[in-house]
Amino acid sequence: MKENLPAAFRLTGTKDMACALLRVMKTTFFEPLSQIIPPELTPEEQEAGEEPVKPLKPFCLPWYPNNLAWQLNLTRKNIRRCEAYWQLHQFLISETETGNISRQEAVSMIPPVVLDVQPHHKVLDMCAAPGSKTAQLIEFLHSANDDRSAAIPEGIVVANDADNKRCYMLTHQAKRLQSPAIIITNHDAAFMPNIHHTRKDGSVGPIKFDRILCDVPCSGDGTLRKNFDVWAKWNPVNGANLHGLQLRIARRGIEMLAVGGRLVYSTCSLNPLENEAVIQRLLMEADGSIQLVDVSSQLPGLKFMPGLEEWLLMNREMEAIKSVTEIPLKNTNLFNKHLFPPSMENKEKLNLKRCIRILPHHQDTGGFFVAVLEKTKPLPGEKVYKEINQEEIPTVPDTATQRIRQPPKKKRRQGFREEPYYYFEKDEVVWPGIDAFYGMHEDVDPGLFLTRTKDGKKRNIYFTNKCIKDVVAQNQDHIKIINTGVKVLVRSDNKGSPCDFRLAQDGSRVLLPLFSKRKICVTKNDLVIMLQNDDMEMPPEIATLDSKTQEQCADHCTGAIAFLYEEDGLKIQLVGWKGNKSVRAYVAKNDRIHYLRLLGADTSKYEKNKFAEQRNLDSMNVDVKESTPDDMQTDVNDENGESNDKGETDVCDGIQEN
């Protein structure tokens, strides 16, 4: 508990790109580490009591799919003193900034894995911010094999959070994943309103989700290794204070879950009042409608404890409370009968052992709790919808059957209101120009493109899948939607192009499978030339590219263009601009470094190595000393001494500081 927590991260994005980055990480950074002898301590460091640099052994988390999650024992001192460790650290920083690596605690990755999300699922994340688990859910939703289905899945992810500011942080996280299947909402999860959609028979009713994640607010005593404040603030009743809120959120999740669906309840707490006591009460109230699922087979190599079936209640004064009758009068507002462990006859029925408890010493992680619940039948009193064209007998009396819901009436909503979403109509003015210029496929529905302004010039055009469009249409007036859609087109005022809109890199993965024109296949060398040139005034000349690339450029007029590269399983798609004599890739600096790494090209233009700079400076100083006569060297030293006495910064120190 008192040792520092190792850094953990996972590789994100499409499966192809993540696996390509994994190969680069292993060959460029991990393999050389095994041959490095850590530097010895200097006499000054020994006097200061510094510990020697320990050999770094990256550990792959065996239970995470495709070997994409890793753990590193990388400390700041080691980074400062060893060049190889510093280079690895710089790699992790730059790839995190581009969204290709996500820093996330190892145990926090488990709930989305056991949720078992498929591309057609409707998924709800009830307490989504800051968004690491939501990003995992989106990645699993985009896991289809063919490009178009992977880019535009059939299902959706509804990411909700009660905190408005955290919702915008969530929006920033989601943007990096280029998903047209996510919608971010701002509601109290314990009182989450129904989200309506159009059913197969044409009626409108609440969505019953296939998968729901309840990563509820908790006391966080499992995070003692990174949140040192918890040590001072901890007391036994923290869990009892939060039990009611956690139960309400999980209960609402079960109500919104479809029969046959799966809900994952998780906390970063070890307190049974926040964990097993909540699950126990859910199971008792559901009366056989839900059951705990054993998911140990989905987590090969993970060490954990089974859920508790016995625990002891204590008040703030550390007095043990063994039964309901022993609750002190001063604690009657804090404890109730539902917080105590199950009776002997209920133990076997509840199967609390199927819960997963992860302790810090099991595999050098934080503490965590996970329970997977499956809904086997409707809850007692739950309204069940029966489709009009079905002839089966309803599972509940007709009085409890849900009526076909009419579209909701407009309601006044308090607080800040987001700009509405306007999907393209059949007579959309800008669509014919876009369609003709890019050659949209016949099956592309222009009604899936949207903007945030109804009148005036449309600056940005976004795209969503059909399910998101339906959800927006049915809920925009009573659900607080913070963000949805991925940006695919941006207005360009360049008069040299017949189309007013250029491609956006943010949505290239989504839009490129939808059109046939404005695409050029380039070579590896072409990509390197474009990525290493970031001069806006002097972009790469078309004449410097491969001859076949030049031929393709000649077939296209001035305007937005997509550059496609595929070789040895690596697929890179960049958007840019084709001029009369030059081409340009619209790629941010950190993304340029990322793509150059994947191509095995030189990244030194964008990355500075402070160790190499120091070596160069030291060699220059040596050369100066060797070429300077003794009497001149004395004068130089005197001058340097004077300048240092005046408080001026030494050149060498300044470079090290930078």
Side-chain angles (χ1 to χ4, degrees), residues 383-384 386 392-403:
K383 295 180 180 181
V384 177
K386 176 176 171 286
E392 290 87 356
I393 300 171
T395 56
V396 293
D398 289 339
T399 53
T401 302
Q402 181 179 304
R403 296 178 180 178

Side-chain angles (χ1 to χ4, degrees), residues 171-185:
T171 299
H172 177 70
Q173 282 268 34
K175 275 183 180 178
R176 300 186 303 188
L177 293 163
Q178 299 189 19
S179 176
I182 181 172
I183 187 166
I184 296 169
T185 63

Side-chain angles (χ1 to χ4, degrees), residues 229-421:
D229 293 349
V230 179
W231 286 94
K233 294 177 181 177
W234 183 89
N235 70 70
V237 301
N238 285 348
N241 289 328
L242 288 163
H243 174 89
L245 173 63
Q246 294 161 336
L247 177 68
R248 288 193 298 274
I249 293 172
R251 186 190 283 147
R252 181 61 185 136
I254 293 294
E255 290 170 359
M256 301 180 78
L257 187 66
V259 173
R262 180 177 282 196
L263 178 143
V264 171
Y265 176 90
S266 61
T267 72
C268 49
S269 167
L270 301 175
N271 194 326
L273 303 189
E274 303 177 65
N275 300 328
E276 287 88 352
V278 173
I279 299 300
Q280 171 191 230
R281 192 163 176 187
L282 284 174
L283 292 167
M284 298 292 284
E285 289 178 355
D287 194 23
S289 298
I290 58 173
Q291 63 180 15
L292 276 167
V293 181
D294 182 2
V295 291
S296 55
S297 60
Q298 287 182 246
L299 301 166
L302 180 73
K303 299 175 185 175
F304 62 88
M305 276 181 62
L308 301 178
E309 292 183 318
E310 293 285 345
W311 59 85
L312 186 65
L313 268 68
M314 282 190 170
N315 60 15
R316 195 179 294 272
E317 290 77 27
M318 301 294 284
E319 298 168 344
I321 306 170
K322 296 180 181 178
S323 66
V324 181
T325 56
E326 293 183 19
I327 298 176
L329 188 62
K330 62 183 178 181
N331 297 134
T332 51
N333 63 332
L334 191 61
F335 299 119
N336 59 62
K337 62 180 181 180
H338 301 291
L339 296 177
F340 290 88
S343 59
M344 291 300 294
E345 63 265 20
N346 285 331
K347 279 184 182 179
E348 286 189 18
K349 186 170 75 172
L350 297 177
N351 284 318
L352 290 177
K353 286 184 178 179
R354 290 180 178 173
C355 298
I356 292 175
R357 287 184 147 261
I358 301 161
L359 303 183
H361 66 280
H362 283 153
Q363 54 247 308
D364 201 10
T365 64
F368 211 72
F369 175 87
V370 181
V372 182
L373 295 161
E374 193 174 271
K375 194 171 184 178
T376 55
K377 61 182 181 180
L379 296 170
E382 180 181 353
K383 295 180 180 181
V384 177
Y385 172 75
K386 176 176 171 286
E387 286 192 17
I388 294 171
N389 59 356
Q390 286 185 346
E391 298 179 359
E392 290 87 356
I393 300 171
T395 56
V396 293
D398 289 339
T399 53
T401 302
Q402 181 179 304
R403 296 178 180 178
I404 298 174
R405 179 185 174 278
Q406 297 301 317
K409 295 180 180 180
K410 291 186 177 182
K411 296 180 181 179
R412 292 187 72 180
R413 185 169 51 209
Q414 300 297 319
F416 177 73
R417 184 188 175 100
E418 288 288 322
E419 289 293 328
Y421 298 85

